[in-house]
Amino acid sequence: MKNKRLWVACASMLFTLTTWSQTLTTEELRDSVEALNDSIMSSLRNRIQELELKEIMMQEQLDISGKSARLDSLRTAERKARIDSLRLITVGAPLVIEGDTLLTFYARKGGMLPDARATSAREKIIALGRRLTLHTDSIFVFDGDGTTDIMSGNEVLMSITDMDAMWQNTTRVKLAEQYRAAIDSKVKKLHEEYGLRQKIIGILLAALILVVLYLLIRATNWLFRRWRFRLTRRLLVRFKALATKNYGLLSSHRQGILVISTLNLLRYVIIFFLLMVAVPLLFSIFPETKTFTYVLLGYIWNPAKQILLSVVGYLPNLIQIIVIFFCFRYLVKGLHYIAGEIGAGRIRLNGFYSDWAEPTYYILRLLAYSLMFVMIWPLLPNSNSQIFQGVSVFIGIIVSLGSTSVIGNVVAGLVMTYMRPFHIGDYISFEDTEGEVIEKTVLVTRIRTKKNNVITIPNSSLLGSKTSNYTFAAKNYGIILHTKITIGYDVPWQQVEQLMLAAAEETPEVKKTPKPFVLTTELNDFYIEYELNAYTARSKGLFNIYSTLHRNILNQFNQAGVEIMSPHVIARRDGLDIQIPAKS
């Protein structure tokens, strides 16, 4: 084409030269021809050079294109080889909708990772399938320059690239058609579950379930109101009142209340069971809330299952605990029987007093139950858990800190039991308190004074202070009653002692043997102090004995005309009357 154009240009120039030759002379013609030839030749050379340059450039372009094509084929082959090697170890990002895996993304699309592509496509497909209305054949494939899109209307569900096709060893369009078929099938299934028709059916079923639930609850309440009193009367006719000794455990009235309460509880259990059945059914009707059904059933079934498995697994330990409990129970009963026999005096042990039997039994019972607790503790559920151990340590600390004084009183009570300083009924003196012991417990001792005041004394206080046991002294040695009087120096001491001994002999509670005696205790400035001492075997009512003794002393001295001097009265009183009552 280019050579043809060159020859046309040469012919045109020859035609012009011929025309000029007819009008010019020979010399002019010669000069013109030579100039024209030079111009033509120069033009031809330039043209030829341009053509050669273009040819070189075209050849280079062809060489570059061929090399690029070879390079592209090599790159494609290399990519396929790398993809084939990566396909064995690459998991990819599956597109899973309601348990169905539609496809798997392996390659990026621009800046989107495979996981992001799968998430985006899943959301779009689910939104499309859950529409209330859906047109058939609405999903199609649109092939573009760089990607092939799977579309629904104007919305792009996903885009397929050449890299995706390479991962699947197919072409982009074929892969898009394959994916479109899978997506179209899944969208139709979703529409069957979430479509308008299914919604209407679900609403009707929900209404039916609610109506049935309402009728069942009404029927349950009606049956309960109608039959509770009839069943109660029939059951009370068969049951008898339970009583032990003089205490009625379950009277007829209490049994009736118990039966009605049990029936009422049964009614609530039935209503709760109906709700537990109806609520999951309501949630299972609609696909959007179907997952809540399994959650609700799990809330009920999983705890019940765990409890059942725990109970079954704990049965061997429970059997061991029961055996240990009954063994120690009958051991304690045997100890109680032996203690009762020793306390009643039917069994005698050398050096072991009968009043030790009961406290010793309590100590042994405490030790036995402590040993039982130690043996049962490892068998308790979760006894090895840190929480269980922490709570037990915390409770132990609280008990130990809050019961220091209690433990002290308990220990003091046990020590006093074996020391035997007094018994119930003994008349004792503690500090400024005198009275009869009416109760002894592990913690305290109660004393009734002569004014009938009941005083409670902690055992630790009794153990830490001195006490006087009048009953023990009266029974074994005899209590010495002692009282003092003051008489002037003008009265012979022999007469004073005779009068005081006569007063002691007139007191019925004073023992004849050992005999009473009188001591001269002080010689003061104006009087002499005498002390009468007499034995008595009585410990109770000492204040009455002292009162009788003092009255007898007054009578003896008044009858003898001897004045009992006051410390402030002297022998010479300057006309003051003698302090002796006149005889009536």
Side-chain angles (χ1 to χ4, degrees):
M1 188 67 179
K2 294 178 180 180
N3 293 331
K4 185 177 179 180
R5 291 178 180 177
L6 180 61
W7 287 110
V8 171
C10 292
S12 175
M13 294 176 65
L14 289 175
F15 178 75
T16 304
L17 180 61
T18 304
T19 304
W20 286 351
S21 63
Q22 292 177 1
T23 57
L24 298 174
T25 60
T26 303
E27 294 179 357
E28 294 176 350
L29 181 61
R30 187 182 299 112
D31 294 335
S32 300
V33 170
E34 289 178 358
L36 181 60
N37 288 334
D38 293 337
S39 176
I40 291 171
M41 292 301 294
S42 177
S43 176
L44 288 174
R45 284 194 296 272
N46 292 333
R47 188 65 177 172
I48 290 170
Q49 290 177 358
E50 290 178 1
L51 291 175
E52 289 177 354
L53 182 60
K54 287 182 178 180
E55 184 177 1
I56 292 171
M57 292 178 66
M58 291 178 65
Q59 186 63 37
E60 290 179 354
Q61 203 63 24
L62 289 174
D63 293 340
I64 292 172
S65 299
K67 186 182 290 184
S68 177
R70 288 193 299 275
L71 289 175
D72 288 342
S73 62
L74 290 174
R75 289 173 182 169
T76 302
E78 184 180 357
R79 286 179 181 177
K80 289 183 178 180
R82 291 177 61 187
I83 289 172
D84 290 338
S85 62
L86 291 174
R87 189 179 287 108
L88 300 175
I89 60 175
T90 303
V91 178
L95 176 58
V96 181
I97 299 177
E98 294 186 353
D100 295 336
T101 302
L102 303 183
L103 53 98
T104 303
F105 291 102
Y106 293 95
R108 290 172 176 261
K109 180 182 178 295
M112 293 183 65
L113 295 173
D115 291 333
R117 294 179 66 189
T119 301
S120 177
R122 183 186 303 109
E123 293 175 354
K124 294 178 180 179
I125 293 171
I126 291 176
L128 179 63
R130 291 184 178 181
R131 291 178 182 176
L132 295 179
T133 58
L134 180 68
H135 298 287
T136 58
D137 301 331
S138 61
I139 302 175
F140 61 93
V141 175
F142 177 78
D143 189 18
D145 293 336
T147 60
T148 300
D149 298 330
I150 301 175
M151 303 182 66
S152 175
N154 296 326
E155 182 182 7
V156 178
L157 300 180
M158 69 174 64
S159 297
I160 309 300
T161 63
D162 293 329
M163 188 62 68
D164 293 328
M166 193 175 296
W167 271 94
Q168 300 295 338
N169 288 328
T170 184
T171 62
R172 194 173 66 194
V173 176
K174 289 183 179 180
L175 184 61
E177 286 292 339
Q178 179 182 350
Y179 286 173
R180 186 205 64 79
I183 292 172
D184 184 70
S185 175
K186 188 61 181 178
V187 168
K188 289 180 179 178
K189 289 182 180 179
L190 289 174
H191 183 68
E192 291 177 359
E193 296 180 4
Y194 296 90
L196 180 61
R197 180 173 175 273
Q198 188 65 27
K199 290 289 188 298
I200 296 174
I201 295 174
I203 292 172
L204 294 176
L205 289 176
L208 178 61
I209 291 173
L210 291 175
V211 171
V212 172
L213 176 63
Y214 173 75
L215 293 177
L216 289 176
I217 293 176
R218 286 291 301 273
T220 302
N221 292 329
W222 179 79
L223 289 174
F224 173 76
R225 289 192 300 268
R226 181 178 178 85
W227 289 96
R228 61 177 178 177
F229 292 112
R230 296 183 181 180
L231 290 175
T232 302
R233 284 194 296 269
R234 292 182 180 180
L235 292 174
L236 291 179
V237 170
R238 297 183 179 182
F239 293 161
K240 295 181 179 180
L242 299 178
T244 173
K245 296 182 179 179
N246 295 327
Y247 177 74
L249 296 177
L250 280 178
S251 61
S252 299
H253 178 68
R254 292 179 179 177
Q255 289 182 4
I257 294 176
L258 180 60
V259 171
I260 292 175
S261 300
T262 303
L263 293 176
N264 198 16
L265 178 61
L266 179 62
R267 177 170 67 97
Y268 287 125
V269 170
I270 294 174
I271 293 174
F272 178 76
F273 176 76
L274 293 175
L275 290 175
M276 287 296 99
V277 173
V279 172
L281 286 177
L282 288 173
F283 282 118
S284 64
I285 292 174
F286 301 98
E288 293 86 354
T289 59
K290 187 178 292 185
T291 55
F292 290 104
T293 304
Y294 303 103
V295 174
L296 290 175
L297 292 177
Y299 288 157
I300 301 172
W301 171 245
N302 291 335
K305 180 181 177 181
Q306 292 177 1
I307 292 173
L308 181 61
L309 293 177
S310 300
V311 170
V312 173
Y314 188 69
L315 284 178
N317 291 344
L318 181 62
I319 294 173
Q320 295 183 39
I321 292 174
I322 294 173
V323 172
I324 293 172
F325 172 76
F326 278 103
C327 290
F328 277 93
R329 181 181 179 184
Y330 285 103
L331 174 63
V332 170
K333 284 187 175 181
L335 293 175
H336 185 263
Y337 172 77
I338 295 173
E341 293 295 311
I342 294 175
R346 289 187 286 271
I347 297 178
R348 295 183 179 181
L349 300 176
N350 293 330
F352 192 89
Y353 299 96
S354 60
D355 56 343
W356 287 358
E358 186 176 0
T360 304
Y361 161 71
Y362 287 124
I363 294 174
L364 294 178
R365 186 179 68 172
L366 177 62
L367 293 176
Y369 282 139
S370 299
L371 180 60
M372 181 187 72
F373 180 75
V374 171
M375 296 177 64
I376 290 177
W377 182 270
L379 301 176
L380 296 176
N382 297 324
S383 59
N384 295 326
S385 64
Q386 295 181 355
I387 296 177
F388 193 90
Q389 295 174 358
V391 171
S392 61
V393 171
F394 176 76
I395 294 174
I397 293 174
I398 295 298
V399 172
S400 61
L401 292 177
S403 61
T404 304
S405 60
V406 175
I407 298 299
N409 288 324
V410 171
V411 173
L414 294 176
V415 171
M416 289 172 58
T417 299
Y418 291 96
M419 287 175 59
R420 308 177 74 238
F422 50 81
H423 303 85
I424 295 177
D426 288 355
Y427 193 86
I428 67 173
S429 173
F430 168 73
E431 294 180 353
D432 58 347
T433 302
E434 290 184 3
E436 179 185 357
V437 179
I438 61 174
E439 184 180 4
K440 286 176 59 180
T441 64
V442 180
L443 298 176
V444 297
T445 299
R446 291 182 173 86
I447 298 176
R448 185 178 64 190
T449 66
K450 58 185 179 181
K451 301 297 184 180
N452 281 337
N453 293 329
V454 177
I455 299 176
T456 301
I457 304 174
N459 288 334
S460 58
S461 299
L462 284 173
L463 184 64
S465 301
K466 63 179 181 179
T467 58
S468 300
N469 191 336
Y470 294 110
T471 302
F472 180 81
K475 181 178 179 181
N476 294 277
Y477 311 105
I479 299 175
I480 296 178
L481 304 172
H482 54 89
T483 184
K484 295 179 180 181
I485 62 173
T486 56
I487 304 297
Y489 284 92
D490 57 338
V491 180
W493 63 269
Q494 295 86 351
Q495 183 181 4
V496 174
E497 289 186 0
Q498 183 181 3
L499 294 174
M500 295 183 73
L501 292 175
E505 291 177 358
E506 290 182 357
T507 305
E509 291 82 3
V510 173
K511 296 175 67 176
K512 304 302 179 182
T513 54
K515 294 181 178 181
F517 58 92
V518 178
L519 298 177
T520 303
T521 57
E522 290 186 13
L523 298 175
N524 294 311
D525 294 337
F526 305 104
Y527 57 87
I528 302 172
E529 184 179 82
Y530 301 92
E531 183 182 75
L532 173 63
N533 295 273
Y535 291 88
T536 181
R538 292 187 58 183
S539 60
K540 296 181 181 179
L542 288 177
F543 52 92
N544 292 325
I545 300 175
Y546 270 108
S547 178
T548 303
L549 179 61
H550 290 156
R551 287 197 297 266
N552 292 334
I553 291 173
L554 289 174
N555 291 333
Q556 289 293 331
F557 276 79
N558 291 337
Q559 291 175 3
V562 178
E563 182 181 16
I564 299 176
M565 297 293 294
S566 171
H568 303 287
V569 179
I570 59 176
R572 298 183 182 273
R573 47 179 58 86
D574 295 333
L576 186 65
D577 295 335
I578 297 176
Q579 305 298 311
I580 297 176
K583 294 182 179 180
S584 56

